Every structure is written in structure tokens, then in C-alpha cells.
Amino acid sequence: MEMAINIHSSSSSSFSLINPKPPLLTKQLFGSSFTLSSFPNTSKTTSTSSLRCRRSRFSFHSPIKCSVSTEASTTEKRSQMMRRGDIRNIAIVAHVDHGKTTLVDAMLKQSKVFRDNQFVQERIMDSNDIERERGITILSKNTSITYKDTKINIIDTPGHSDFGGEVERILNMVEGVLLVVDSVEGPMPQTRFVLKKALEFGHAVVVVVNKIDRPSARPDFVINSTFELFIELNATDEQCDFQSIYASGIKGKAGLSPDDLAEDLGPLFEAIMRCIPGPCIDKDGALQMLATNIEYDEHKGRIAIGRLHAGVLQKGMDVRVCTSEDSCRFGKVSELFVYEKFIRVPATKVEAGDICAVCGIEDIQIGETIADKAFGKPLPSIRVEEPTVKMAFSINTSPFVGREGKYVTSRNLRDRLYRELERNLAMKVEDGETADTFVVSGRGTLHITILIENMRREGYEFMVGPPKVINKKVDDKVLEPYEIATVEVPEEHMGAVVELLGRRRGQMFDMQGVGSEGTTLLKYKIPTRGLLGLRNAILTASRGTAILNTIFDSYGPWAGDIITRDQGSLVAFEDGASTSYALASSQDRGQMFIGPGAGVYKGQIVGIHQRTGDLSLNVCKKKAATNVRSNKEQTVVLDTPLDYSLDDCIEYIQEDELVEVTPSSIRMCKNPKLAKKTR
């Protein structure tokens, strides 16, 4: 098995013509081997190659083609495109909890970004408070490291499907991705989504099998499953011939074989250098930079982040800001930054191919192009997939309005929601039926819940309705969104979970054992309506052991009525403070949300009824005071009230109920406009 590659380069600088191929790569792939002979010529725009296959345990990586250069339709355009060799732009993409952020931590530490005596917290890229509390990545973030005089710009991306819009935007800035896959679970729903997007962009992919030190790791299965996923997504032959690296992010080790890991991440860095091509640029062309992300600074104002596609950007430069050929305006770059290690560093000049941050253009939006003042042309704008779930936001109308919040008016609410659209491309906001109601659409319930949590921490007070799916009408037929749900559940609880998903119109299409831990992986195609409120129900059915993951699949025919909740609510029918005396008798009717001494108002939901239908209760009743002496006061033993989080409340409420959100409290109440007759 042999490979011959001839490389001709006329210069030793960091720029080289696009035809030379990367050096020799070796890796293990599923029993097939490729021998490639290629004869590039720097004076021509095409190269000839021959490919022959034979069965073997090893395979060599094919030359990686730059997706930008393949789009060039003329000889003149191709001759201008250059490959920049001193920079690599990569995004780390994966399913949630497969170890992206931990892997970035190890890469930063081993590239000496921090001092030896510097305290570094875990998951340093998750700098947002909500990210740290929930243990997930919500916003994509930039950093950079230097390896062998090459700058590697790294972008950490979210793993949840609800934040897929972040991933779609970021893929515009990079030339390759590290696809991180868990060594036990293998490719999961979000793995499929992010890989599909990366392949559509024509990016080079390096597969990192992470958590290889887990006792039940099965790297061969994971690699084969990943290869099958490449085939399903119609990847090209070059993309299917991917480099695989085995790693343990938490230990900071990597290797080309699961049984032979190096003491550091050296093999991973080498794979990035060999497999991910440098950015394809037009060095002498007119300035072009696509604003892919927006940040805000109290002193500098709006900061546009993106990759420079062509030309040179300088501090103090006059530029043209374009949205389309006909819509352009002018601006001036006041400050310029590049990413070095873990911070933004001021720069006077940035050359094409690097990722930078631009200040001074106050009204810049995501998807706009910063171009040359005289000859600038816009780049294609960023497109993201449509939202599938919507929720109604309205001003707080409860008797407790204004007690805890700072911003309570419809004008405050409207300004904040429309300001969110400037950064969150996957979200949509529309005016509702009344002046104080707004309809917010997003990729999923979690997508909108994170917005609600951010707003309440900023001092906003408002109400939200239950999540609803966004249907489509095609040829007079109602189509609703369907999602692929994967459930990992121990075998002893599988029956209860299967029954629950069946009641919600789910159709099982795959079932398999996972590892040696007695866990079964179930795959369902289920309407998005059936997923609303499912997470708590599935945890109850499996005694907290099931793991549910979902991702949007497609629109399909209406599945019929779905009952998402069997029990009614316990509703307070007067204002006041709850008492132990009243709660002692009320808790026989169901589970309570409140304890003694809590303020309640008429229409507030104070518990879950043990039967169907709502029940009105007086939780403020006091024991009658008489002059009759008793030998002993009655001892009241109260059950511990249920502590529902914001996510739990939004999953719980039905069509005629609302969640009241304030900076200090989260309460549920009946919607006075839709209040049903209670018993």
C-alpha cells in the first residue's frame, strides 16, 4: 500500500497556491484501503488523479479540496485564490455532553495559554452563568492557540439541537470541523445535524472519538456508525475518507489508536495541521468580511465578529456595509481586534483568512458584509432553519405585579424581545392578538426557556403561555413537525417508557443494546406536540434513569389528538397567605407547590390534583379561635412541596394556564381569559 504525492511550491512563505496537496496521512478505517497518485501542477487549474481500492485494515486520507476554490467557475478566479498556510480555522461540533468544551480546555492548557500557577476553572469556555448552572454550552465562543508557528482559531459550539442556529452561523467562519463523538453512545441526533451542515459547506472533517477511557467504550462500533452516517448524508469520497483520532478530553490524551494514546494531545494537533486546510483567500482582492456573530460592550458598542474572506482590513478604514447589491451604507472601523490565546488583542491590520472583531459600526447586523468602500460586493447572507415551536409572551396581570420586577410594561417587553433578534437568528418575534402580547418562535422549548431565564435575571416581569407547535398547510392538508427522539433507558424500565411514547403517537424504528451496562437505546419518530411535557413524564416512568434527546426531522401529516397530562390542577380561590391548617387538609387532594406562609392569589395554581379536572381550594383558611380550652394543640405534618423549575413549569401548563415569571419567583396561574369551569 503506497501513496505518492508531488508538491511544487514556488515560495516558502505562509501563502501557497491552492493546488498543492497536504502531506501523507494515516489512519484506520473500516477494512478498505486507497492508493492515490496525484500530479498537481501549479501552472494549471486542474490535476489528474487515479484511485484504486483493495481490502485492508488501513487507509490513507485523500487530498482535501477547498470548498471555496471549487466554486470558482473561471480560470482567472481560480488563479487569484490563495491558500494561507499559517492559520487554521476550526469549529468543534458534537452532540450535547460528548465533551467538546472539556476537550477545548485540554487544548488550551497544553498550548500554554495559561500560566503554570494560574487557577483555571473547569469548562472555561462556558463563561455564561446559565451555561455553568446547567452544564451546557448555549453561545458559541472564539479562542485561539498557537501550534508550531501556526495560529489555530477554535470555535466552541452548542450541542443542543435547540441552539442549532448558532452552529449554522459559525460554519461560515471555518474550513474544517472536529466532530466529537462519545466512545459509547456513538453518533446521536445532534451529531447528524451538525455533520450534515458541515458536509453541505464542503468542510473537511476530523472525527474525534472522545471519552475513550470509559470502561464500556466501543471505538470500532462508533467509527463504523460514523462512517455509515457519512454515507447516509451523501458525503463525497474525500469526506468519507476521514481521519479518526481517539482521545480522552478530561485526561488530555489523544492517539491514532484506542490502545495507544500519547501523553498529550499532540496527535490531535498534528491531525488538525494535516487534515484541515488553511483558509482560501483572495489576498489582493477587494475587502470582504461576513459578520457572523455580534457582541456588545458598554464602552465599544456593537462588535462584529467574522472571518475576513478577501483583502486587508485596517484600523480607521472607511468601509461599505452591504446587505444586498442595492442596500449599502458607509461606516468606519474605529477599533480592530484578533483572538490570541484566550483574549481579544488590539490589531492595526488583519489579513484575509483570519477571524477578527470590528468596532465602530453601530448598526451592524449578523449576515451583513463589511466590504471595500469603492469596489465592495456583498457575500451570500446567512440562512438558518425555520423555528418549530412558539410561545406567547404578555405583560404580568396578576395581583402581585410590580412587586419584584423592574421592567413590567409592554414597551419594555417589546424592546427586549426585538433586541434579542439582533443576535439570535433562529428566533422570530411577532405581535400578538393584543397590544401587550407577543408571539416568540424558536427551535424548541429550551431555546425559548433560555431567553425567559435571561430576561428574568435582567429584571423583567411577564407571563408566558404554553408552548405550541408551528404547523404548515400544504394542499389543504395540515402538516406538523416531527422529531427523532432517542431514549437511553435501563432494561427494567423499558416497558413503561415504550408505553408512554406510544400514547404520544411515537413510532419506534430502532432498538439496540448499548455497551455492557444493561442499557437499551430506543429511537422514535414522534410529533413535536408529543414531546411537550415528555421529559418529566419519562423521568418519572424510569425513576430518573432515562436520557432523552430529540432533533427536528421533517414535517408530516397530522397525527391526531394527544393527551399530554392526565391530572388537573389545584387552584386557590382567594387572596392571602397559606396556612399550615389549610394545607394539612389540602394535601390529601394532591401534591402541593407551596408551603405555609406563601402569598397566593385567586386563580393561582397551588398543586397537582390527583384526579382529572381542576379543583378550587382555600389554602388560606385559619383555625377558628374559640374560648374552649383543649388539652393539646393538634400537630400538623406537612409533605414537602414540589419545587418546580422554570422548565418544569413550562412543561406542566396546559392551554388555559400561564407561567408568571419574575426575578424572584416563578408561579403558575389559570389564564383569566380562558379560565375553565373548576369544580
Side-chain angles (χ1 to χ4, degrees):
M1 185 166 50
E2 69 281 348
M3 175 182 278
I5 300 180
N6 297 330
I7 300 180
H8 303 281
S9 178
S10 59
S11 172
S12 60
S13 68
S14 61
F15 293 97
S16 61
L17 288 176
I18 197 169
N19 276 329
K21 307 296 189 241
L24 186 67
L25 309 179
T26 58
K27 62 172 186 54
Q28 292 184 0
L29 201 61
F30 338 94
S32 64
S33 169
F34 299 97
T35 303
L36 181 70
S37 299
S38 181
F39 307 97
N41 189 334
T42 54
S43 63
K44 298 180 181 179
T45 58
T46 60
S47 65
T48 60
S49 63
S50 61
L51 185 71
R52 68 177 183 271
C53 302
R54 65 174 179 270
R55 303 293 296 176
S56 172
R57 288 182 63 250
F58 298 100
S59 169
F60 288 106
H61 198 93
S62 300
I64 298 168
K65 297 180 180 178
C66 178
S67 58
V68 179
S69 68
T70 56
E71 295 172 2
S73 57
T74 64
T75 304
E76 291 78 19
K77 188 172 181 180
R78 286 198 181 193
S79 63
Q80 293 174 2
M81 299 300 288
M82 309 287 287
R83 172 92 68 206
R84 187 168 178 180
D86 62 339
I87 283 183
R88 299 290 187 274
N89 297 320
I90 62 169
I92 300 188
V93 297
H95 186 78
V96 63
D97 282 341
H98 279 199
K100 297 180 301 299
T101 307
T102 306
L103 186 64
V104 174
D105 278 1
M107 295 173 75
L108 289 170
K109 289 174 184 175
Q110 294 190 18
S111 56
K112 302 298 181 185
V113 168
F114 309 108
R115 300 189 313 272
D116 292 337
N117 63 344
Q118 184 174 348
F119 171 74
V120 181
Q121 56 192 359
E122 288 185 5
R123 301 195 319 276
I124 191 168
M125 295 295 283
D126 288 345
S127 53
N128 187 297
D129 289 340
I130 299 179
E131 291 179 325
R132 293 206 157 276
E133 290 170 16
R134 294 175 178 254
I136 61 174
T137 302
I138 297 171
L139 304 171
S140 57
K141 299 172 196 69
N142 300 52
T143 187
S144 79
I145 61 176
T146 302
Y147 181 76
K148 292 185 177 179
D149 299 325
T150 299
K151 181 181 180 182
I152 303 176
N153 286 310
I154 301 173
I155 305 174
D156 185 25
T157 62
H160 273 279
S161 57
D162 289 37
F163 310 112
E166 289 277 320
V167 182
E168 290 176 76
R169 285 195 287 113
I170 292 310
L171 290 176
N172 283 278
M173 297 168 63
V174 299
E175 284 74 40
V177 298
L178 295 187
L179 181 70
V180 181
V181 186
D182 189 281
S183 64
V184 177
E185 296 178 354
M188 295 292 280
Q190 182 68 0
T191 312
R192 183 187 184 92
F193 173 78
V194 294
L195 179 59
K196 177 185 175 186
K197 293 298 176 185
L199 295 177
E200 286 175 0
F201 277 92
H203 292 333
V205 180
V206 174
V207 176
V208 180
V209 182
N210 197 23
K211 305 184 184 180
I212 198 66
D213 53 338
R214 288 182 64 175
S216 52
R218 42 181 189 165
D220 293 339
F221 165 80
V222 170
I223 287 290
N224 280 292
S225 302
T226 307
F227 180 73
E228 290 169 6
L229 184 58
F230 272 76
I231 300 298
E232 285 178 31
L233 297 175
N234 299 318
T236 64
D237 291 344
E238 290 83 3
Q239 289 171 328
C240 286
D241 191 20
F242 55 80
Q243 173 80 39
S244 56
I245 298 290
Y246 304 90
S248 170
I250 199 162
K251 291 183 178 179
K253 296 181 178 181
L256 296 171
S257 166
D259 303 320
D260 185 20
L261 299 185
E263 290 302 313
D264 56 17
L265 293 175
L268 176 60
F269 290 126
E270 290 292 339
I272 293 172
M273 297 295 294
R274 294 194 312 259
C275 306
I276 309 296
C280 292
I281 60 168
D282 187 358
K283 185 182 178 184
D284 301 320
L287 170 67
Q288 279 185 315
M289 172 187 155
L290 186 68
T292 312
N293 208 348
I294 295 289
E295 290 184 5
Y296 184 80
D297 185 274
E298 292 182 359
H299 305 289
K300 298 179 178 64
R302 293 172 72 84
I303 303 173
I305 301 170
R307 179 168 70 90
L308 206 58
H309 287 259
V312 177
L313 186 61
Q314 296 179 345
K315 183 178 178 180
M317 189 176 183
D318 291 321
V319 295
R320 176 187 295 186
V321 182
C322 306
T323 51
S324 65
E325 291 287 356
D326 302 324
S327 175
C328 292
R329 60 190 186 280
F330 296 99
K332 185 174 183 178
V333 177
S334 62
E335 289 190 77
L336 198 57
F337 297 90
V338 294
Y339 289 89
E340 284 188 13
K341 297 185 177 179
F342 199 63
I343 56 174
R344 278 200 299 254
V345 178
T348 56
K349 182 175 75 170
V350 177
E351 295 181 338
D354 205 353
I355 293 174
C356 62
V358 178
C359 306
I361 306 172
E362 286 299 323
D363 54 351
I364 186 78
Q365 301 286 344
I366 291 176
E368 293 184 333
T369 303
I370 298 174
D372 185 81
K373 186 176 181 181
F375 308 104
K377 291 184 179 180
L379 290 162
S381 60
I382 300 171
R383 297 183 182 275
V384 296
E385 293 188 3
E386 293 295 309
T388 57
V389 174
K390 61 183 179 181
M391 292 173 67
F393 285 53
S394 62
I395 60 170
N396 190 359
T397 55
S398 81
F400 294 168
V401 61
R403 290 190 184 181
E404 300 168 358
K406 182 179 178 182
Y407 307 106
V408 296
T409 65
S410 60
R411 180 176 58 83
N412 296 141
L413 186 61
R414 179 190 181 88
D415 291 346
R416 176 62 180 85
L417 290 175
Y418 278 96
R419 196 163 68 243
E420 181 69 18
L421 298 183
E422 295 177 358
R423 196 189 181 285
N424 206 330
L425 284 191
M427 193 169 278
K428 290 185 177 179
V429 178
E430 301 167 348
D431 292 337
E433 297 176 355
T434 60
D436 55 9
T437 305
F438 307 94
V439 179
V440 179
S441 307
R443 278 286 189 61
T445 309
L446 180 64
H447 190 196
I448 303 176
T449 302
I450 294 297
L451 169 64
I452 296 171
E453 184 65 41
N454 278 322
M455 289 176 65
R456 71 179 284 247
R457 293 183 185 209
E458 293 167 14
Y460 286 85
E461 193 174 296
F462 54 97
M463 285 182 161
V464 294
K468 300 177 183 178
V469 299
I470 300 174
N471 298 321
K472 285 183 178 179
K473 208 165 187 180
V474 178
D475 299 330
D476 294 331
K477 292 182 180 179
V478 177
L479 302 181
E480 65 173 334
Y482 280 76
E483 302 198 22
I484 300 296
T486 61
V487 186
E488 285 182 63
V489 61
E491 291 178 0
E492 59 265 28
H493 302 303
M494 191 171 69
V497 171
V498 169
E499 181 187 357
L500 178 64
L501 288 165
R503 286 207 306 265
R504 293 183 175 240
R505 307 282 181 174
Q507 296 180 344
M508 185 193 298
F509 64 87
D510 190 18
M511 179 173 67
Q512 59 188 8
V514 178
S516 58
E517 300 162 0
T519 304
T520 303
L521 183 70
L522 307 173
K523 293 187 179 181
Y524 277 82
K525 185 173 182 180
I526 185 170
T528 303
R529 282 184 303 132
L531 294 172
L532 303 178
L534 178 63
R535 200 169 298 273
N536 275 342
I538 216 164
L539 285 173
T540 303
S542 64
R543 299 188 180 180
T545 56
I547 300 173
L548 172 67
N549 291 293
T550 61
I551 192 163
F552 174 74
D553 180 54
S554 60
Y555 274 83
W558 180 262
D561 293 333
I562 297 175
I563 299 174
T564 58
R565 200 177 84 194
D566 299 327
Q567 298 167 303
S569 299
L570 300 176
V571 184
F573 68 64
E574 72 173 21
D575 301 352
S578 60
T579 64
S580 301
Y581 178 75
L583 291 175
S585 57
S586 299
Q587 67 185 14
D588 295 334
R589 305 287 189 173
Q591 294 175 289
M592 306 302 293
F593 289 138
I594 61 171
V600 297
Y601 55 84
K602 183 179 180 180
Q604 181 179 333
I605 297 172
V606 294
I608 304 175
H609 193 200
Q610 59 190 7
R611 296 191 177 93
T612 56
D614 298 337
L615 178 65
S616 293
L617 294 173
N618 185 359
V619 292
C620 304
K621 182 170 60 176
K622 297 179 181 178
K623 187 176 180 181
T626 68
N627 60 354
V628 178
R629 296 189 178 193
S630 59
N631 294 329
K632 182 183 176 184
E633 279 292 324
Q634 182 181 2
T635 302
V636 176
V637 179
L638 297 178
D639 297 333
T640 304
L642 293 173
D643 184 15
Y644 266 24
S645 66
L646 175 62
D647 303 68
D648 297 332
C649 291
I650 288 174
E651 280 197 355
Y652 175 81
I653 58 173
Q654 295 280 48
E655 190 73 28
D656 63 331
E657 296 166 348
L658 298 169
V659 176
E660 178 190 353
V661 181
T662 72
S664 306
S665 310
I666 298 171
R667 292 181 280 261
M668 291 179 284
C669 64
K670 305 301 286 188
N671 188 343
K673 298 177 183 176
L674 301 172
K676 291 180 181 177
K677 202 171 182 181
T678 56
R679 296 197 321 181

